[in-house]
Amino acid sequence: MNRILITSLTLLSVGTGVLSCTNQKEEPAKPNILFIFSDDHATHAIGAYGPKHNNPELHRFVQTPHLDRLAQEGMLFNNVFCGNSICGPSRATILTGKHSHMNGMLNNDTIFNGMQQTFPQLLQDGGYETAWIGKWHLFSEPTGFDYWSILDNPGQQGTYYNPVFGSLQEKEKEEGHTATLITNRVINWLKSQRDPQKPFFLAYSHKTPHREWLPGPEEFSLYKNEDLPLPSNFFDDYSTRSSALKEQEMEVANHMNDQDLKLAPPNYLNDEQLKMFWEAYGPENEALKKANPEGKERAVWNYQRYVKDYLRAVTSMDKEIGRLLDYLEESGLAENTVVVYSSDQGFYLGDHGWYDKRWMYEESLRMPLIIRWPGMTPSGSKDNHIIQNTDYAATFLDIAGLKIPDDIQGQSLVPLLKQEEPAKWRDVAYYHYFAYPDWHMVQPHYGIRSNRYKLIHFYTTNEWELFDLEMDPDEMKNEFLNPDYSNVVTTMKERLNRERIALGDTVELKATSNYHR
Ligand SMILES: [Ca+2]
């Protein structure tokens, strides 16, 4: 680890309280923090997370060598759960260390209030230089950053090619693949824009692999003549579970539009990119038209197109992450930089027949989290504690050696990074999804997940679900009314109630949205 010498002379200049300390004292240099953040990246689309029970064969098609390398050199967290599986709210929770009901960002129709306490402001106060580059998607201007450059149009969602970057100074459209352009900006900031005298916190934030999953130029041909395996519950009939599952509009078979399926190009491509688009998809689209498959056969065609594009986009992003990790090595920054990889939530890759997120089921509840802290995290280590996205702010502050404010709801992961067992750790993850009616029509629900069980309450329809994750990891069988589980139901209900009160989520339960259909 890099160390800086603080001489007695320096100590004299910072206050009388240290005058008695006349010896030279070594203090560790504050580590830099690089937060690599992506959008909708499911853990089952990262090689290092290994095969998934309902679709183990998919694992051999996942190509994320650079994230896998990061996991080999650091610590991989197996049980990380968001508190509200949708973009803006998860980002607001990460910034504040507070669940949605505390930070005010309940859904994507809300504008994040950047005047409240966030960890970047606290890092700034603690002597860090802070920057956010790439996707932001909180609708208000970033606060607490010395520098920011964020994807602007449309609606801060950004585009896969030719994006508009917005900063305090200007809006600038740039031609090219967005993951590459974000990486260029990040490397440029590290090289020539930051203050080398200060430790930094830098968020390197991708749009990828958010809908509509458009790959980089070199990944269009991946899986060209291959069939990807289907999840075992792709044709889920949603029996035994809440009526909400039949009401949703997020089925790969029925709810994807022409741009999702690349039957029509997005409107932001230039002529050269359009040519590339039609070369990649045109012949297969023609063949589809001719064969005109229906029912299950068409659903499988949609799945192939969707999951191939999702994994292609992931590989394009992974390559760019590799380029940045290489730059950290070359520049000598790697040694004193904590690298964190995560995504705002998970995603369905045909699991339950779905794409998108929002539900408290495993695929979208889970967030990837990999942390490499040179000299601290044992290489290739894994952690199984129940982590939430409320923990990120506390962790960043703790890494920086700063005080964690009492009103932050999460806990620092630093003890876990050192493989120390904390005296106290949560036994359940808390969840509350609010947005209804909204895109994909998922009913609001809240619940808790322990290591073995998950209890969910759909309060607008007053339906409950209990899953035994050990017996039923794919959450296909609701055990709520099964007499064999009546004791578990009682215990979990009581635990859920205690957790709601402890976290202050006691407002009236009602759906919230400004969405108009
Ligand atoms: Ca997202």
Side-chain angles (χ1 to χ4, degrees):
M1 187 182 297
N2 274 355
R3 284 175 183 274
I4 52 169
L5 282 178
I6 297 186
T7 63
S8 53
L9 190 66
T10 320
L11 288 169
L12 278 170
S13 69
V14 297
T16 52
V18 291
L19 277 174
S20 59
C21 177
T22 51
N23 295 330
Q24 282 200 334
K25 188 183 169 193
E26 256 196 0
E27 281 201 0
K30 294 227 175 194
N32 305 307
I33 303 168
L34 171 66
F35 181 38
I36 309 176
F37 193 46
S38 65
D39 196 335
D40 297 354
H41 193 185
T43 52
H44 48 317
I46 298 176
Y49 273 91
K52 182 167 174 284
H53 33 79
N54 71 338
N55 197 0
E57 287 301 307
L58 186 70
H59 182 251
R60 66 187 173 89
F61 294 93
V62 173
Q63 295 180 34
T64 54
H66 301 289
L67 287 175
D68 300 348
R69 162 183 147 205
L70 194 66
Q72 277 157 19
E73 295 168 352
M75 185 176 282
L76 179 140
F77 290 83
N78 273 320
N79 291 314
V80 184
F81 306 108
C82 61
N84 184 0
S85 182
I86 183 169
C87 303
S90 180
R91 290 154 191 265
T93 291
I94 286 172
L95 285 170
T96 58
K98 296 172 185 173
H99 283 288
S100 305
H101 61 273
M102 297 299 275
N103 66 46
M105 188 124 189
L106 301 181
N107 53 43
N108 272 343
D109 293 327
T110 318
I111 295 170
F112 177 65
N113 170 14
M115 301 313 286
Q116 65 186 303
Q117 173 184 278
T118 63
F119 79 81
Q121 295 159 8
L122 296 168
L123 287 175
Q124 251 184 344
D125 293 346
Y128 270 69
E129 189 172 31
T130 57
W132 189 289
I133 298 173
K135 187 164 179 177
W136 172 248
H137 203 240
L138 283 156
F139 311 110
S140 50
E141 278 185 358
T143 54
F145 296 99
D146 296 291
Y147 176 82
W148 52 269
S149 172
I150 58 173
L151 296 181
D152 194 88
N153 289 331
Q156 294 194 343
Q157 191 60 262
T159 52
Y160 272 95
Y161 283 82
N162 315 329
V164 176
F165 285 95
S167 66
L168 260 185
Q169 291 76 31
E170 58 182 359
K171 284 188 184 184
E172 192 186 352
K173 186 173 175 180
E174 223 180 323
E175 294 280 300
H177 179 230
T178 300
T180 305
L181 300 176
I182 293 171
T183 312
N184 291 348
R185 281 174 185 249
V186 161
I187 291 176
N188 193 40
W189 186 82
L190 287 170
K191 260 186 189 164
S192 56
Q193 285 173 280
R194 71 188 176 94
D195 176 357
Q197 301 304 316
K198 284 183 169 181
F200 65 78
F201 170 88
L202 168 63
Y204 162 48
S205 179
H206 282 280
K207 175 191 174 61
T208 313
H210 189 278
R211 190 183 190 181
E212 65 283 346
W213 324 289
L214 200 57
E218 287 163 21
E219 282 71 42
F220 279 104
S221 56
L222 271 179
Y223 319 119
K224 193 78 188 163
N225 297 311
E226 294 180 282
D227 279 334
L228 301 192
L230 281 175
S232 58
N233 56 357
F234 183 67
F235 294 109
D236 193 352
D237 63 3
Y238 313 124
S239 59
T240 80
R241 283 150 288 158
S242 159
S243 59
L245 280 81
K246 288 185 176 156
E247 192 203 318
Q248 49 64 36
E249 296 177 359
M250 52 191 280
E251 290 164 20
V252 172
N254 300 313
H255 300 117
M256 290 188 141
N257 64 35
D258 282 359
Q259 288 181 354
D260 293 332
L261 292 170
K262 315 303 176 334
L263 299 173
N267 62 7
Y268 49 76
L269 298 182
N270 64 28
D271 288 348
E272 189 191 338
Q273 293 155 354
L274 267 176
K275 190 166 166 268
M276 185 170 69
F277 180 96
W278 286 120
E279 277 172 9
Y281 299 111
E284 285 177 13
N285 292 352
E286 282 304 311
L288 174 77
K289 241 189 241 168
K290 215 179 266 176
N292 195 22
E294 290 178 356
K296 285 191 172 182
E297 210 186 323
R298 175 58 197 256
V300 171
W301 190 95
N302 286 3
Y303 170 83
Q304 293 294 336
R305 174 59 59 88
Y306 156 52
V307 176
K308 283 180 184 181
D309 276 343
Y310 183 97
L311 293 180
R312 288 165 178 156
V314 162
T315 297
S316 305
M317 175 179 75
D318 182 79
K319 196 164 70 180
E320 289 301 314
I321 291 170
R323 184 156 72 93
L324 180 61
L325 292 177
D326 288 346
Y327 174 73
L328 287 187
E329 298 291 338
E330 289 158 21
S331 62
L333 283 168
E335 196 185 349
N336 197 34
T337 299
V338 182
V339 180
V340 178
Y341 179 75
S342 193
S343 183
D344 54 358
Q345 69 270 154
F347 217 68
Y348 297 91
L349 304 181
D351 317 280
H352 301 286
W354 295 333
Y355 64 107
D356 209 70
K357 53 249 179 184
R358 298 162 197 272
W359 303 97
M360 199 191 161
Y361 305 121
E362 292 293 277
E363 291 82 357
S364 55
L365 179 67
R366 287 182 176 280
M367 300 163 73
L369 180 63
I370 301 168
I371 302 181
R372 181 183 77 184
W373 188 348
M376 197 69 83
T377 44
S379 300
S381 51
K382 293 188 175 174
D383 182 275
N384 293 319
H385 286 83
I386 294 177
I387 312 292
Q388 293 227 250
N389 48 351
T390 49
D391 296 333
Y392 289 33
T395 304
F396 293 138
L397 292 169
D398 202 10
I399 289 172
L402 300 173
K403 186 180 175 302
I404 302 163
D406 292 340
D407 60 348
I408 280 186
Q409 295 185 305
Q411 272 181 270
S412 166
L413 306 181
V414 167
L416 308 182
L417 291 167
K418 296 176 181 171
Q419 292 197 310
E420 291 167 1
E421 189 57 44
K424 202 168 169 241
W425 200 262
R426 71 171 65 79
D427 61 343
V428 292
Y430 185 71
Y431 189 81
H432 195 161
Y433 174 77
F434 299 85
Y436 187 88
D438 200 2
W439 294 89
H440 305 296
M441 302 302 283
V442 171
Q443 289 282 353
H445 53 288
Y446 67 97
I448 48 168
R449 185 204 190 279
S450 69
N451 276 320
R452 176 153 180 191
Y453 300 107
K454 184 183 289 180
L455 181 71
I456 308 176
H457 186 203
F458 290 89
Y459 49 86
T460 47
T461 60
N462 197 23
E463 293 171 290
W464 291 83
E465 291 179 347
L466 177 83
F467 296 101
D468 182 340
L469 300 169
E470 204 172 288
M471 306 301 288
D472 175 26
D474 297 327
E475 299 161 294
M476 300 294 285
K477 194 163 180 284
N478 177 13
E479 306 285 10
F480 188 77
L481 296 174
N482 181 347
D484 294 347
Y485 284 88
S486 62
N487 287 342
V488 177
V489 166
T490 305
T491 312
M492 288 293 278
K493 268 190 160 179
E494 187 274 329
R495 186 70 195 83
L496 170 61
N497 213 27
R498 262 197 293 139
E499 198 63 12
R500 282 188 70 206
I501 292 167
L503 293 173
D505 188 11
T506 50
V507 290
E508 186 194 351
L509 295 172
K510 59 176 185 187
T512 65
S513 170
N514 298 320
Y515 180 80
H516 298 290
R517 308 193 77 202

